[in-house]
Structure formats: C-alpha cells, structure tokens
Amino acid sequence: MEHWVYSFNVFNHTVSVNMDTLITMWFSMLLLIILALITTRKTSILPTKLQLIAEGIVNYFAGIVKSNMGENEAKKHLPLILTLFMFILTANLVGQLPWHLIHLKTGELASPNNDINMTAAMAIVVSLYYIYYGVKKKGFHFFFHGFSVEGIIITLVDTLELFVRPFSLALRLFANILAGEILVFTIVGILAYFMPLPFMLFELFVALIQALVFTLLSTTYISMAISEE
C-alpha cells in the first residue's frame, strides 16, 4: 500500500520515513502508556476490572515464560515479552479505527503493523536480543557446535535460522494485518452497511492471534538461545 513518505538529508544522504506509520505508531504507544498509568494508578487487593485484566495478562505470560526458561531467566525477559505483546495488540487494534475519514495527500493512516518496516524492526530487535543473550550464555558455542558431522549440520541449520526467523516474524505479522485491512476496506467499498461488521469482528480476533503468535515465537527463540541443551 502507498505510504506518506517524507524525505530529508542527513550528512548528504537522503533518509525517507513513512510518516503515516510513525503517526499511528506513536499514537499506539501513547494509548498504551495512558492505559498503563490508569491501570496502575490505584492498585488494590480487591482489583478493579481493568486491574484484573492487566494482572491476567501478566500472569498468563509469566507462566509461559517461567515454564520455558525457569524463574530466574523469566525475570530478565518478561518485560520485553510483555511489551511486545501489548504494543503489537494495541497497534493491531488501532488499525480498526476509522482512519479513512482522515484524507492525506498521499498514503493513508492505518495500523503501523501494515508496514513491513515496522514489523521488520521488531523482528530484528528480537533477533539481536536473543543472539546477545545466547552468546552471553554460551559464548562462541552459540554459533558453532563442533567439528563432527552432526555439529556441522546443526551449525549450518542454526545459521540459516538466524536469517529466516526475523524474516518469517516480520512477514507473518505484516501480511496478516495488511490483508485484513484490505479485506475490510474492499467490503466497505462494496456494501458499507452491516456486511463489513462480521469481517471487522474477525479482524479483532486476528489482531489478538497475531500478537500472540509473534510474542510466543519470540519467547521460544529466546528460550532456545539461553537453554543449556
């Protein structure tokens, strides 16, 4: 899809950014920060509905991370994993807002995750993160598994996965969100009343599932990087 591209010079090099993605990305982050402040403003032993939902999300991922990594490692990596899930879910849901009412000269406002640059940036961050902790935990053995036949084969497969994982993470999230928005927009163009509603409700489900998939795969990659086996 076409984007609102803004270009500027940095040390005689032209740098281009997708302004529509930046606007909705910062809007998503602002919503998430406001929601976090509201949720944690008055926490109590008898939680409110909002606090109960937040605690449920934290406990759900805490249980998954602990079962994969153990309690000590979970404390290190849970903040990143929770942040990934909450940001991706919020950004996906932001795409369901009626942005088409705001007309731009070029491009259109939509979920920031319908931009491959956004999803690729998150995937690269996850990759660098688990590579760093993998090397910190295992040293050079993280990349090389010995001179035996099995060790060389595993080394080649792991090297390939270092490039495939971020590509698959980025492409999966980008393609699903973009396809969903195109589908809803097409249905709205055909019949604007009632007919798009089931597809919009389905997209809410997809927004949750894709956030879960990205986050759980990231958890698995980090767990595999730091595991002793």
Side-chain angles (χ1 to χ4, degrees):
M1 296 178 70
E2 186 181 7
H3 290 281
W4 171 20
V5 180
Y6 177 77
S7 300
F8 55 94
N9 289 322
V10 177
F11 302 114
N12 295 324
H13 292 280
T14 301
V15 177
S16 299
V17 296
N18 295 339
M19 290 300 298
D20 51 340
T21 301
L22 287 180
I23 290 171
T24 51
M25 180 189 72
W26 281 98
F27 180 74
S28 301
M29 290 193 294
L30 181 62
L31 279 181
L32 198 53
I33 291 170
I34 293 173
L35 182 62
L37 291 174
I38 293 173
T39 304
T40 58
R41 185 168 58 93
K42 290 183 179 180
T43 55
S44 62
I45 296 176
L46 297 175
T48 61
K49 291 181 179 179
L50 194 58
Q51 183 183 337
L52 196 62
I53 294 171
E55 289 178 356
I57 294 173
V58 172
N59 290 333
Y60 174 75
F61 283 101
I64 291 176
V65 176
K66 286 179 182 178
S67 65
N68 279 272
M69 307 177 190
E71 189 168 354
N72 291 331
E73 291 292 343
K75 292 178 181 178
K76 297 179 185 177
H77 309 297
L78 185 59
L80 173 71
I81 291 165
L82 277 171
T83 302
L84 275 174
F85 174 75
M86 292 306 300
F87 173 75
I88 294 172
L89 178 61
T90 304
N92 290 349
L93 295 177
V94 160
Q96 301 303 309
L97 298 176
W99 295 109
H100 298 293
L101 298 177
I102 303 174
H103 298 286
L104 305 177
K105 290 183 179 180
T106 57
E108 60 182 17
L109 297 175
S111 169
N113 289 331
N114 83 345
D115 186 345
I116 187 65
N117 297 289
M118 181 75 247
T119 59
M122 291 189 291
I124 290 171
V125 166
V126 170
S127 297
L128 293 176
Y129 184 89
Y130 78 73
I131 289 173
Y132 168 78
Y133 276 99
V135 172
K136 185 178 179 180
K137 186 89 172 181
K138 303 176 182 178
F140 185 68
H141 182 65
F142 176 77
F143 297 104
F144 185 68
H145 299 275
F147 291 98
S148 64
V149 175
E150 294 85 355
I152 292 174
I153 292 174
I154 293 173
T155 299
L156 293 174
V157 172
D158 283 353
T159 303
L160 179 62
E161 284 185 341
L162 291 178
F163 296 96
V164 172
R165 284 174 179 174
F167 177 77
S168 64
L169 275 177
L171 190 60
R172 182 186 296 105
L173 180 58
F174 159 72
N176 279 281
I177 299 305
L178 178 62
E181 291 188 351
I182 292 175
L183 177 62
V184 171
F185 184 74
T186 302
I187 298 300
V188 169
I190 297 173
L191 184 60
Y193 298 100
F194 302 113
M195 188 175 177
L197 185 59
F199 294 94
M200 295 176 72
L201 293 175
F202 178 72
E203 279 308 303
L204 296 179
F205 175 72
V206 171
L208 174 62
I209 292 301
Q210 291 305 314
L212 272 174
V213 168
F214 193 103
T215 307
L216 294 178
L217 283 174
S218 300
T219 303
T220 302
Y221 297 157
I222 296 169
S223 176
M224 291 173 65
I226 64 176
S227 63
E228 295 293 343
E229 292 81 4

